[in-house]
Every structure is written in C-alpha cells, then in structure tokens.
Amino acid sequence: MTTPIPRPGKIIAVHVAYESRAAERGRRPSAPSYFLKAPSSMAGSGDVVRPAGTTLLAFEGEIALIIGTTARRVPLDSAWDYVSHVTASNDLGIYDYRPQDKGSNIRSKSRDGYTPVGPGLIDARQVDPTELRIRTWVNGKLAQDDTSSDEDLIFPLPQFVADLSQHMTLEPGDIILTGTPTGSTVVTPGDVVEIEVDAPAKGLTSGKLTTTVVEGPGDFDESLGLLPVWNEKQAADAYGNRKAAGLPESTIAIPEELRAQLMKAPTAGLSAQLRSRGLNQVSIEGVRPLCPGTKLVGPARTLRFVPEREDLFKTHGGGFNAQKQLFDSVAEGEVIVIEARGVSESGTLGDILALRAQVRGAAGVVTDGGVRDSAAVADVGLPVFTVGAHPAVLGRRHVPWDSDLTIACGNATVVPGDIIVGDDDGVIVIPREIAEEVVEATLAKEHQDEWVFGQVKDGGSLDGLFPPTGENKERYQAFLAEGGDK
C-alpha cells in the first residue's frame, strides 16, 4: 500500500460538506466541523483489513487537499494559494467503534491503512477549486458522483484552509479530507473500491485509488479497552439510511391493519373503551386540530421543553437542538408529541419544522403549546393538534431539552410508542399492549350505535334502546346474525 505522498504531519477530515450528504443525513451544518486522523492511517492503493468481529466498514470517497505552503490565519480569497495538490482519498471507518469513540473517530477511522490517498496528484495551480469531480465505484458499479461546485458543496474548498488556519498552523504536506457525498455505504471482504478525482474540463485526473477489503484478525483484548458493538443507529449511518441497512423505517411502527382500524374509530368511542378498562387520564386536554376534520393516528415520538431560562437557552436553544433533531429523525407514520406544560405564549413549531416532518412522512404533531405561522403550517397539510396559534418564537417561554422519554402533554402521560389518536373531539393516548382489543371493541360499539341511531330516527324510544336491552338487544343480535351492514 505504498503512496507517492510523504506521511503528513496531520490529517484533518471534514464531517459533512456536501449538500447530498446533508440531505441523506437529515441535517445541514451551518459551519464546517472537523476531526483528526492519525498520520499512520495513510496508505496508497492496496488491501484494507476489516477486523473479525466487526461488520460496519464503510468507504467515503473524498477530495484530498495537500497543503504546499505554511498557512496561518490566511484570508478566504487567497486560501487556495496554499494548496499545492489535490488527489483522491478514501476516509474509511468502522462504525462498530463509533459509539465508543464519542465523536473522536480514533478507533473507527485511525486504524492503519484507513486513509488511502492517491495514486497521482493534480497541481492545484492548474484547476479552479469549483471544477473538480469525485467518483467512487464499488465492484465496478458507480456509487458516488459529485462535484466541488458551489451548488454541490455546502462550503467552498478554500474555506476549509482559511477556517482551519485560524486555529492551527497548516504545514506543507498536511492533508485535508473534504467530506464525502451521498452514496457512502458498507463494504465487505472481497469488495473492491475505486475512487478518482478529476477536472474533466482540463483533462486532469488523480487516477483510480483502489482498495480491496480483506478479513483480518479481530482479537480485541477487553482488558485493554472497549470492544466493537453493533446497534441500529450505527448500522443506519454506515449504510446511509435504515432502509439500506435492512432495518424497519420506524422502530415503533404499528401494523397497517391496526392503523386502518384506528382511522375508523372515533376518539369518543376509544375513550369510552379505555375508561371501561380503568384508564381515565388518557385525554390530552386542551388541544384541537389546526384544521377541523383532521384525523391523526400513529405511535408517539416525544419531545420535552423546559421553562425558559436564558443561560440554558444559550446552550440548548440554538444549533441542531433537541427539537430539530427529533423533527429530523421522525419516521414515517410516527406522531411527534410535545410537552410544553400547557404554556401557549410562544410557538413550539412553525412551518419549516412542519414541512420537515411532513417530508419525512410523519403522521402529525400534538403539542400542548402554541403554533407559529399557523396558516402556513395548515397549508403544509401535516395534521397538527395544538392549544392555539401564537406569533412568538420558542425562546420566549421554552427551552428544547430532550426527546424520546416519558412526558406529560395536556395532563396526560405519554410513553414513546404509545398510540396517539386525534379527531375533532380531541386527542387520546392508548397503551400499545391493549390497542387491538380497544379498537375492536370500539368499532363493535360504533356499529351498534349506528343501528340505535337508525332506530331512534325511525321514532324508537330511548328506553331499552340506548343501549339495547331486552327485546331491543335481541333485535340487534338478529340484525347482526342476518349480516347487518357495517
């Protein structure tokens, strides 16, 4: 695995830089962020070892910038002058070790041979930083194809040089790995990954950097450090998404047949059946549909706001906070339930968040707080239940704190995975384990009530009819035996 490039003093990698990767991950950074890779991880074309006991080795085709001149606090408009060459790189990583690394990527990405670069170099003086192309093939099939244009990159390549030089001295030979586009995924022993950086308009190319995955010993010593682990989150990230990883889109999804039954069942009837089973505190009080006639069904994902405190809002209110993370990760069919303590004097979501949830296929949102941009939220078409509209921003009353835990919304306890049902009468919470029997009994009672309604409409007395007893009960049972329409 020789490389024509001398070992650098440091290798700095960008977390997310491509629009396509940000869309795949569901989050778009507002500024670049970085991590370090060990210089000893650098290699050229050749074999890369996936240790036995790990399964989530992923490739990342990237454009590598090689620093040619010492850079310290260089301005953006001249930052490209400090780059001597560009080439192809493969930012390999074992996602089985990401949880233990806690963001450092030391174990997952700094293993020997996990930063192949080359094979050839493109003179940075001969290319514009916006005219490069990065392509990756796996077993001969194109897996990544993107460019360094302003449309494809979130940040221009020279920005990484200028930004990093504010914080450290970039020295000749240092390498900056500039992030990977969508298409990065898991590879297994026997797979061959080829990566090329070129400037098609100039006819310049790095040549193809070739990496062949081989199985190697895993013999990790538990007495010395942490062992690799597999979990669904890392699998989804390694493959690109849950579907590609062979995982269900939602970990709390409900069967489609049950969803269809619940869509037919009114909350009034469901509430009565829950009450008959001793459950009285299952109504989320005070919330109504933003658009009358809305029906909502789905398992709960939960979000908790705590009362506004200025110092806490500074640390938890901005950036990719708990609120944005949940709206970015909600899966198809799930309902976001927000605990806002019944405080309606600020919005708990607006049109952008509603749109994000709708695009991800969420079933809806329930909040015991206010909704901003209410007309625009209604236009999005996402079912939203709220105590009302309010123009103020979140920070006036709330700090987004945490998610996917048991909360109190509208004086009702909501556990993640509880089934939420809403209509014009309000919203109720159904414990998952009794949902089937509750909806079956509700629909049976609704059928009976429809028969009673018809009898009353024809002049029948309520006495012995609502509910049916005696002779009326026998008549209803005969109606059912005759195949009474449901």
Side-chain angles (χ1 to χ4, degrees):
M1 297 182 70
T2 59
T3 172
I5 306 167
R7 179 181 290 189
K10 49 188 171 288
I11 301 172
I12 307 164
V14 180
H15 278 114
V16 178
Y18 281 84
E19 296 285 3
S20 61
R21 181 70 158 178
E24 178 183 59
R25 290 297 176 89
R27 53 187 183 273
R28 186 181 189 276
S30 58
S33 62
Y34 313 95
F35 60 92
L36 292 169
K37 297 191 74 170
S40 57
S41 69
M42 196 174 80
S45 290
D47 293 345
V48 65
V49 175
R50 189 192 75 174
T54 66
T55 60
L56 300 178
L57 172 63
F59 70 86
E60 295 183 9
E62 305 195 12
I63 298 170
L65 310 183
I66 302 174
I67 299 299
T69 305
T70 300
R72 176 63 175 158
R73 294 191 178 280
V74 301
L76 179 60
D77 58 6
S78 62
W80 192 248
D81 296 338
Y82 294 81
V83 179
S84 63
H85 296 88
V86 297
T87 189
S89 62
N90 191 346
D91 182 17
L92 291 157
I94 299 177
Y95 280 69
D96 309 67
Y97 259 120
R98 279 217 315 179
Q100 297 91 325
D101 280 348
K102 300 184 185 302
S104 71
N105 288 326
I106 292 296
R107 298 175 182 87
S108 59
K109 284 181 173 273
S110 277
R111 300 181 66 83
D112 292 352
Y114 271 46
T115 312
V117 294
L121 301 174
I122 299 173
D123 189 338
R125 303 284 68 76
Q126 298 184 42
V127 293
D128 186 277
T130 64
E131 66 177 348
L132 297 169
R133 178 175 60 175
I134 175 75
R135 290 181 294 172
T136 303
W137 295 263
V138 178
N139 301 327
K141 183 178 180 180
L142 188 64
Q144 293 182 297
D145 187 354
D146 222 318
T147 78
S148 62
S149 69
D150 293 338
E151 291 76 22
D152 292 335
L153 276 174
I154 301 172
F155 317 105
L157 295 179
Q159 183 173 342
F160 303 133
V161 178
D163 181 28
L164 287 166
S165 75
Q166 298 182 90
H167 309 289
M168 65 185 76
T169 299
L170 299 176
E171 301 170 318
D174 286 350
I175 296 177
I176 303 174
L177 309 182
T178 59
T180 196
T182 187
S184 164
T185 191
V186 170
V187 284
T188 59
D191 287 339
V192 177
V193 181
E194 299 172 292
I195 301 170
E196 180 185 21
V197 170
D198 65 350
K202 302 286 179 61
L204 301 172
T205 178
S206 67
K208 286 188 176 181
L209 175 69
T210 303
T211 300
T212 301
V213 182
V214 298
E215 187 81 8
D219 53 4
F220 302 107
D221 188 339
E222 186 175 7
S223 68
L224 298 177
L226 298 169
L227 298 180
V229 298
W230 184 98
N231 63 44
E232 289 191 358
K233 182 182 187 308
Q234 301 311 323
D237 283 350
Y239 279 92
N241 54 63
R242 293 183 63 86
K243 183 177 181 180
L247 300 169
E249 287 294 300
S250 170
T251 59
I252 55 175
I254 59 177
E256 190 53 43
E257 181 180 356
L258 176 59
R259 181 186 298 275
Q261 289 180 307
L262 289 165
M263 287 295 291
K264 295 186 292 185
T267 58
L270 292 166
S271 176
Q273 291 300 321
L274 289 168
R275 180 175 172 80
S276 72
R277 288 162 175 78
L279 294 172
N280 294 305
Q281 302 299 319
V282 292
S283 295
I284 297 180
E285 305 294 350
V287 301
R288 292 292 181 270
L290 198 59
C291 299
T294 297
K295 185 63 183 280
L296 169 68
V297 171
R301 292 285 303 280
T302 59
L303 174 64
R304 181 169 68 111
F305 294 151
V306 297
E308 164 65 3
R309 208 178 88 180
E310 288 76 7
D311 60 326
L312 296 180
F313 196 85
K314 287 180 181 179
T315 59
H316 289 75
F320 195 53
N321 59 32
Q323 178 197 42
K324 294 175 184 175
Q325 290 177 38
L326 182 55
F327 276 81
D328 252 355
S329 66
V330 64
E332 184 175 357
E334 294 175 346
V335 177
I336 296 174
V337 184
I338 301 174
E339 175 185 332
R341 309 172 315 285
V343 177
S344 60
E345 292 86 7
S346 72
T348 56
L349 74 147
D351 57 339
I352 299 298
L353 289 176
L355 179 60
R356 181 61 178 151
Q358 190 262 352
V359 167
R360 289 192 60 82
V365 177
V366 178
T367 173
D368 64 352
V371 170
R372 297 183 69 225
D373 314 308
S374 58
V377 170
D379 287 342
V380 167
L382 179 76
V384 174
F385 287 70
T386 175
V387 297
H390 200 284
V393 295
L394 181 70
R396 182 169 183 259
R397 289 287 185 266
H398 308 293
V399 180
W401 198 252
D402 45 16
S403 62
D404 294 320
L405 73 168
T406 300
I407 63 169
C409 180
N411 203 35
T413 297
V414 182
V415 178
D418 280 347
I419 296 177
I420 307 299
V421 182
D423 59 22
D424 284 339
D425 281 347
V427 177
I428 62 168
V429 182
I430 306 175
R432 185 65 163 267
E433 60 272 14
I434 63 171
E436 285 82 358
E437 66 176 81
V438 167
V439 72
E440 183 179 344
T442 299
L443 293 177
K445 183 63 166 61
E446 285 300 302
H447 185 230
Q448 182 187 87
D449 286 350
E450 289 174 8
W451 181 83
V452 170
F453 185 89
Q455 301 301 306
V456 173
K457 186 176 181 180
D458 291 339
S461 170
L462 296 178
D463 187 16
L465 183 58
F466 187 48
T469 60
E471 182 181 341
N472 285 323
K473 185 175 182 179
E474 293 175 359
R475 289 174 55 224
Y476 177 64
Q477 290 174 340
F479 171 74
L480 293 179
E482 293 170 0
D485 292 336
K486 293 191 176 183

